């Protein structure tokens, strides 16, 4: 249910306990929210908070389209598919998975930026940051005092690259939040690529233990990205793209999160608040 005419309340401090004000989760890619944020979404729902989910990008992915159309062999099915999809058709199929997964988590409302199209990743990085910043500001104006949940772009490194390799869309979320930190205090960031690592090696500033029922909802949300039924327009796009991440996240009873650097305000010491103790 949408909250209308929300009353103004005092600005919150990063890490304050969960209350009934809305929580807004921003996903750069369709499967990010299920991989790294689904447990936190279920926690916020359990606490009675409205949860809004925002998809930031269109889902355009040339490598994934090549797998679907047979230019690249599918290592999952061990065949060359031949679905003859256009990029636009694939993007809409990814949005279908996104919405189906969101329903599993019982989010209150789903938004897709740019009039349902998502951000065009061919634009400059500076423009991408600007668009994400404007999106966050719009939700803060609509829901003053909401908590804002994004991916941990600056600290969540890609595998097999340099020590500083980050996904640009993930990094843009972090940089947009950095530009807003003097105006919005409640930001939390979830790691996605941490699931490439062995479970014993996964780390972050804070780790969030999931209740069994939250983990079950997360697994159901991830399963929507594995549903392969082409005649119904379901192509398991998430699983064709990042099967290792999806399987690892489904098996791990933890989520991994970070905060913006605000050491002068003593944020790093508030472990009990930040780990959302039950």
């Amino acid at each position: 249910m949408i909250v209308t005419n929300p009353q103004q309340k005092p600005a919150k401090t990063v890490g304050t306990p969960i209350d009934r004000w809305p929580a807004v989760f921003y996903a750069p890619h369709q499967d990010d929210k299920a991989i790294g944020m689904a447990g936190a979404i279920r926690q916020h729902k359990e606490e009675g908070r409205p949860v809004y989910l925002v998809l930031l990008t269109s889902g355009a992915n040339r490598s994934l389209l090549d797998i679907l159309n047979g230019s690249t062999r599918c290592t999952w099915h061990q065949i060359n598919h031949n679905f003859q999809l256009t990029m636009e058709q694939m993007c809409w199929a990814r949005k279908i998975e996104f919405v189906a997964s969101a329903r599993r988590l019982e989010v209150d409302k789903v938004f897709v930026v740019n009039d349902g199209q998502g951000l065009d990743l061919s634009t400059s990085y500076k423009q991408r940051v600007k668009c994400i910043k404007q999106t966050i500001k719009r939700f803060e104006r609509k829901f003053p005092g909401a908590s804002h949940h994004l991916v941990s772009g600056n600290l969540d490194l890609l595998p097999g690259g340099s020590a500083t390799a980050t996904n640009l869309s993930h990094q843009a979320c972090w940089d947009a939040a950095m530009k807003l930190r003097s105006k919005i205090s409640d930001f939390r960031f979830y790691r996605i690529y941490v699931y490439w690592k062995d479970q014993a090696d996964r780390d972050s500033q804070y780790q969030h233990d999931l209740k069994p029922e939250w983990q079950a909802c997360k697994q159901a949300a991830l399963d929507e990205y594995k549903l392969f039924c082409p005649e119904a327009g379901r192509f398991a796009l998430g699983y064709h793209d990042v099967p290792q991440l999806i399987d690892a996240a489904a098996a791990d009873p933890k989520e991994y999160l970070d905060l913006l650097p605000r050491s002068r305000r003593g944020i790093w010491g508030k472990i009990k608040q930040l780990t959302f103790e039950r």
Side-chain angles (χ1 to χ4, degrees):
M1 183 173 64
I2 292 294
V3 176
T4 59
N5 299 321
Q7 297 179 351
Q8 183 68 40
K9 61 177 285 190
K12 294 166 48 174
T13 302
V14 173
T16 52
I18 289 176
D19 57 25
R20 293 187 180 276
W21 290 86
V24 187
F25 287 78
Y26 304 84
H29 306 105
Q30 281 75 3
D31 45 28
D32 286 333
K33 61 97 175 45
I35 292 171
M37 307 175 178
I41 289 172
R42 286 307 307 162
Q43 182 197 5
H44 284 71
K45 288 295 299 177
E46 182 180 289
E47 295 290 336
R49 292 183 67 173
V51 173
Y52 306 118
L53 182 59
V54 184
L55 177 60
L56 296 173
T57 63
S58 66
N61 183 320
R62 174 55 60 181
S63 296
L64 182 55
L65 187 63
D66 285 345
I67 293 173
L68 296 174
N69 289 341
S71 298
T72 302
R73 185 173 178 80
C74 173
T75 58
W76 176 23
H77 294 107
Q78 292 297 307
I79 61 173
N80 285 81
H81 294 301
N82 185 26
F83 295 120
Q84 299 182 22
L85 298 179
T86 66
M87 184 67 78
E88 182 180 13
Q89 288 171 329
M90 189 197 73
C91 289
W92 279 109
R94 294 192 76 181
K95 293 182 181 74
I96 290 171
E97 288 184 352
F98 179 77
V99 172
S101 180
R103 286 175 178 164
R104 293 286 190 172
L105 298 173
E106 299 182 332
V107 303
D108 293 88
K109 194 165 182 69
V110 173
F111 300 84
V112 181
V113 302
N114 192 24
D115 297 324
Q117 299 299 313
L119 298 179
D120 181 356
L121 298 185
S122 66
T123 59
S124 69
Y125 179 75
K126 183 177 180 180
Q127 184 64 26
R128 200 178 308 182
V129 173
K130 180 181 178 181
C131 289
I132 295 173
K133 176 185 172 183
Q134 291 173 339
T135 299
I136 296 170
K137 288 174 66 176
R138 282 197 295 271
F139 278 93
E140 177 65 19
R141 285 194 299 269
K142 187 172 180 64
F143 307 114
S147 61
H148 299 270
H149 305 253
L150 300 97
V151 294
S152 188
N154 194 58
L155 300 171
D156 194 19
L157 303 181
L158 291 165
S162 70
T164 58
T166 60
N167 179 283
L168 285 181
S169 293
H170 291 202
Q171 182 68 48
C173 290
W174 181 276
D175 290 344
M178 284 288 288
K179 292 178 179 296
L180 292 169
R181 62 177 176 168
S182 64
K183 299 178 180 179
I184 299 175
S185 58
D186 199 340
F187 280 115
R188 301 171 194 181
F189 301 86
Y190 300 79
R191 299 200 186 193
I192 308 300
Y193 299 122
V194 70
Y195 294 103
W196 285 112
K197 300 179 181 179
D198 292 337
Q199 189 165 338
D201 297 327
R202 295 170 194 163
D203 58 355
S204 59
Q205 291 172 0
Y206 301 98
Q207 296 183 12
H208 184 196
D209 293 318
L210 306 183
K211 288 183 178 181
E213 55 267 34
W214 301 346
Q215 180 69 1
C217 284
K218 178 171 185 168
Q219 290 169 343
L222 287 165
D223 283 344
E224 291 293 340
Y225 294 99
K226 299 172 70 174
L227 179 56
F228 186 68
C229 185
E231 60 272 21
R234 298 296 299 273
F235 298 95
L237 296 167
Y239 203 70
H240 274 105
D241 189 25
V242 286
Q244 300 94 329
L245 290 181
I246 289 174
D247 286 343
D252 192 340
K254 292 181 182 291
E255 288 180 343
Y256 303 83
L257 62 152
D258 306 297
L259 299 180
L260 291 175
R262 290 173 177 264
S263 57
R264 288 184 299 174
R265 300 182 67 178
I267 296 303
W268 307 117
K270 298 186 177 181
I271 297 177
K272 288 185 178 180
Q273 293 175 331
L274 295 171
T275 52
F276 315 116
E277 286 193 335
R278 302 187 293 276

